[in-house]
Amino acid sequence: MTFIQRYVIFVFFIFYLFIHLSEESRILAIFPNSKNEEIFNKALVKILLERGHHVDLITSFEMLILSENYKLLFNLEKIFNYSNFYLSNEFNYLTIPSNSIWHTSKNYANELCNIMGNKKIQKLLREIKKNSHYDVILMEIFGAKCFIGLGEFLKLPIITISNFFQLPLIDKSIGNSKSIFISNNFMDLSEIGNFVTRLKKNLLKYFQTYQLYYYTQRQTEIMRKYLDPNMPEIGEIEKNISLILLNSHFNLNSTKAVTNEIIQIGGLHINEDKIKLSLKLKSWMDKSTKGIVYFDLGSKILMENLPKKIIIAFLASFGKIKFYRILMKIKNIENFPLELPRNVKTFTNISRIQVLAHKNVKAFITLGENLAIQEALYFAIPIIGISISSDHSQNLRELVQKFVAFEINFENLNERHISEALTIVLKVKLFRIQTQRWSKIFKDRALSAKDTAIYWIEYIIKNGPNSLKSPTPSPLWYQTEFLDIYAFLLISLLSFTCLIVRLIKKLIKINEKFFIKIKRN
């Protein structure tokens, strides 16, 4: 290599290094919710670090990330007992709160907001404000909307991420549609139905909106108490959100018209899983040429803690498909109450993504959770989805209609229903064809989920917090619902009707007088 060639390479290297360093940003990431969403949040942080950005984290779980650009500022688990609100993987997890809005927006969220009053958190926030060198705040949003107030407190743009396909918590503030035909995590609104059904859904929608408003007003008081006494109310604070990254995809969830601030990045975490299968498990899977049924209910529910009658139903159903092998997650095999069929292999903890990526997996039995469904669709594996809560059913609904999933409600888990689901998913060719088709569509994007997330985060950093917002002022609630227009049209119609009636009456009187006059003459 000549001197000139070396010199050119050196110049290009310096130029690249200059450009690369000039694009680095400092991001304050705040993930106050429980570690249930750790996989997606961790994947996003790793992507930002790989891009060269600096990420300082306040979270409820520690991320084992080796990077000079990463720093854990505070672990919220040290001062907040999440187990009081998110039950363990014992069977009592299945007792879902009857009023999920109350649980999400008041019971859990308001208590979580109170951690801002902790002395250590107060000290940390004051230090950050005094020496703020961040470009943006990246924040997970669920029920605790009070943390959005940190954007106002620190004078920084707010980018939120949501692990749920549709939260009605912030629709009003960003101008999103709240149609009665669009479901959300609290309410199924997908079926049109007759007039009575639509009336009920509309009333329920307004009641839900009122509940969300009423339960979260306490968060305004908390922000003013611990951040700034002049802090605007929570509804105004929400309008400061510059971008919302949704862990969803239009193939999985109901179609909805959204504003510019909402970007879907469903499946972001899938290609970030680098954990490899053990040689022993890989060898077993390679030899399972007739097919594998993969059973994994996730980290929240353990197979061995299910009611005994349900365990018996699963094992009996697995025994009927002897030509298939069953790969089942059981954390404590010593505690398992029954003898396993010969075609069942158990494991304690492996990468779900790497198992689903194997060519011999023919079906996946899981809960109707967002990440598990995305992974199965990505690798074109038909799903037998067990729904426990309303969001499980809503996650599965679109795929059931597309013949990609078969749903079983937890209350209907018995040998007959499980065997029926296995027979349909494994034997009906349509499921395999449709799963492959929709998997291809799920992966067919202009940009990958990873590149999409990076692009829009950097877009806000470069172009400012209002670069995706409409310059038009947010309409009032009655303007959003067109109530003023409907009222005007109704009043106009009534006025016109009254005018016509009066005119007819007057014409009748004139006519009567005319005939009376004729008779007299």
Side-chain angles (χ1 to χ4, degrees):
M1 185 179 294
T2 65
F3 172 79
I4 295 177
Q5 288 175 321
R6 291 177 180 177
Y7 179 79
V8 171
I9 292 173
F10 175 77
V11 170
F12 272 104
F13 174 76
I14 296 298
F15 178 76
Y16 167 79
L17 192 62
F18 173 79
I19 295 296
H20 181 69
L21 291 174
S22 66
E23 292 180 348
E24 289 180 359
S25 300
R26 302 196 69 90
I27 298 170
L28 175 62
I30 304 173
F31 303 147
N33 293 301
S34 74
K35 61 177 68 177
N36 292 337
E37 321 305 337
E38 175 184 3
I39 296 173
F40 181 79
N41 296 346
K42 184 177 180 179
L44 184 56
V45 169
K46 287 175 67 177
I47 288 169
L48 290 168
L49 293 172
E50 289 172 4
R51 179 71 171 179
H53 298 298
H54 295 262
V55 179
D56 291 349
L57 186 61
I58 299 173
T59 183
S60 60
F61 52 89
E62 294 190 22
M63 295 183 181
L64 299 177
I65 298 176
L66 299 177
S67 173
E68 295 179 355
N69 291 353
Y70 168 73
K71 182 179 180 182
L72 178 65
L73 296 180
F74 198 88
N75 185 350
L76 298 175
E77 205 167 26
K78 296 178 180 178
I79 61 173
F80 188 76
N81 190 357
Y82 288 90
S83 62
N84 289 342
F85 302 93
Y86 287 88
L87 302 178
S88 67
N89 49 23
E90 299 294 331
F91 179 68
N92 59 6
Y93 169 81
L94 302 178
T95 306
I96 305 298
S98 58
N99 189 338
S100 55
I101 294 181
W102 173 84
H103 176 74
T104 302
S105 304
K106 182 181 180 182
N107 182 42
Y108 165 70
N110 289 355
E111 287 299 319
L112 184 58
C113 287
N114 278 319
I115 66 173
M116 289 196 292
N118 181 276
K119 291 182 180 179
K120 294 180 180 179
I121 294 294
Q122 281 286 298
K123 181 180 178 182
L124 176 62
L125 294 178
R126 304 298 167 185
E127 288 177 356
I128 291 174
K129 184 174 184 179
K130 183 178 179 180
N131 305 306
S132 180
H133 50 274
Y134 296 106
D135 298 293
V136 71
I137 296 177
L138 181 65
M139 180 180 301
E140 180 189 7
I141 186 170
F142 188 44
K145 300 189 290 182
C146 57
F147 289 94
I148 302 173
L150 292 173
E152 179 77 13
F153 179 71
L154 299 173
K155 307 302 179 187
L156 291 172
I158 288 279
I159 295 175
T160 63
I161 60 174
S162 173
N163 284 283
F164 296 88
F165 78 91
Q166 184 54 46
L167 282 175
L169 299 166
I170 53 175
D171 272 337
K172 179 177 179 293
S173 299
I174 61 174
N176 259 357
S177 168
K178 297 191 72 174
S179 168
I180 62 169
F181 306 130
I182 299 173
S183 299
N184 59 56
N185 288 83
F186 298 132
M187 187 166 50
D188 174 21
L189 301 171
S190 57
E191 296 181 6
I192 296 176
N194 55 30
F195 173 78
V196 175
T197 303
R198 287 184 284 118
L199 177 62
K200 288 180 179 178
K201 288 182 176 181
N202 211 42
L203 293 175
L204 187 59
K205 181 190 74 169
Y206 285 114
F207 178 65
Q208 182 190 79
T209 303
Y210 170 76
Q211 277 186 302
L212 291 170
Y213 172 81
Y214 177 76
Y215 289 146
T216 56
Q217 281 307 293
R218 168 66 182 151
Q219 296 181 30
T220 299
E221 300 172 15
I222 293 172
M223 289 191 303
R224 289 172 177 170
K225 181 178 180 181
Y226 297 126
L227 296 180
D228 186 345
N230 298 317
M231 186 73 67
E233 68 170 13
I234 195 76
E236 291 299 313
I237 287 294
E238 293 167 3
K239 296 177 182 178
N240 293 339
I241 296 174
S242 301
L243 175 67
I244 301 172
L245 298 173
L246 280 186
N247 183 20
S248 65
H249 188 267
F250 60 85
N251 275 341
L252 291 166
N253 312 120
S254 54
T255 304
K256 178 177 181 178
V258 295
T259 53
N260 295 335
E261 296 103 307
I262 291 188
I263 302 295
Q264 295 184 328
I265 54 171
L268 172 97
H269 69 289
I270 295 174
N271 290 323
E272 301 306 309
D273 189 307
K274 309 299 182 185
I275 301 173
K276 293 184 178 181
L277 297 174
S278 66
L279 293 177
K280 184 178 180 181
L281 179 59
K282 186 177 184 303
S283 175
W284 181 86
M285 295 184 73
D286 289 342
K287 293 176 182 177
S288 305
T289 53
K290 292 186 178 180
I292 298 170
V293 175
Y294 177 35
F295 181 99
D296 186 349
L297 299 181
S299 60
K300 297 178 182 178
I301 297 179
L302 300 182
M303 174 66 169
E304 56 267 38
N305 290 336
L306 292 174
K308 191 172 181 178
K309 65 177 183 178
I310 293 179
I311 296 177
I312 292 172
F314 272 115
L315 297 184
S317 300
F318 294 155
K320 293 178 181 178
I321 51 172
K322 297 178 181 179
F323 293 107
Y324 290 91
R325 285 182 168 184
I326 314 298
L327 184 59
M328 180 187 294
K329 178 178 178 180
I330 299 179
K331 188 173 183 180
N332 299 306
I333 189 64
E334 299 81 8
N335 298 336
F336 199 73
L338 299 169
E339 184 179 352
L340 294 171
R342 295 182 62 182
N343 62 335
V344 175
K345 182 177 180 61
T346 65
F347 65 95
T348 55
N349 189 26
I350 60 173
S351 168
R352 184 171 65 197
I353 290 175
Q354 298 306 325
V355 170
L356 291 171
H358 197 280
K359 62 181 180 180
N360 289 337
V361 176
K362 304 302 180 184
F364 181 34
I365 303 175
T366 187
L367 293 180
E369 295 184 329
N370 201 13
L371 296 183
I373 289 175
Q374 290 178 10
E375 292 158 12
L377 183 62
Y378 187 89
F379 294 108
I381 307 298
I383 302 164
I384 297 175
I386 302 169
S387 57
I388 294 175
S389 58
S390 60
D391 62 306
H392 291 165
S393 292
Q394 290 167 32
N395 288 340
L396 290 166
R397 181 177 295 106
E398 291 283 326
L399 297 184
V400 169
Q401 294 173 353
K402 294 170 180 174
F403 294 96
V404 173
F406 188 100
E407 181 184 2
I408 308 176
N409 190 282
F410 183 81
E411 297 175 355
N412 298 326
L413 273 179
N414 54 47
E415 184 180 342
R416 182 173 68 84
H417 284 111
I418 296 170
S419 297
E420 179 188 16
L422 286 168
T423 301
I424 291 173
V425 169
L426 293 172
K427 302 296 184 182
V428 177
K429 193 176 180 180
L430 178 62
F431 269 82
R432 175 65 59 181
I433 295 171
Q434 285 293 93
T435 304
Q436 291 173 347
R437 176 185 175 228
W438 289 105
S439 175
K440 183 179 179 181
I441 294 173
F442 181 67
K443 291 184 282 189
D444 188 4
R445 313 184 191 193
L447 287 174
S448 67
K450 172 181 176 178
D451 291 336
T452 301
I454 288 294
Y455 175 82
W456 288 107
I457 290 172
E458 292 180 348
Y459 183 93
I460 294 297
I461 294 172
K462 289 185 293 185
N463 299 308
N466 297 320
S467 52
L468 291 176
K469 292 183 177 295
S470 169
T472 307
S474 300
L476 299 172
W477 67 272
Y478 60 85
Q479 294 173 329
T480 303
E481 301 293 338
F482 301 109
L483 294 183
D484 52 343
I485 294 177
Y486 295 147
F488 171 77
L489 293 175
L490 180 61
I491 292 170
S492 299
L493 180 61
L494 291 174
S495 300
F496 180 74
T497 303
C498 290
L499 183 63
I500 294 296
V501 170
R502 290 186 64 182
L503 183 61
I504 292 173
K505 285 182 177 180
K506 194 168 184 178
L507 289 173
I508 290 173
K509 286 183 179 180
I510 294 173
N511 196 41
E512 287 177 350
K513 289 179 180 179
F514 178 75
F515 279 107
I516 291 171
K517 190 175 181 180
I518 291 177
K519 286 181 180 181
R520 285 178 180 176
N521 294 332

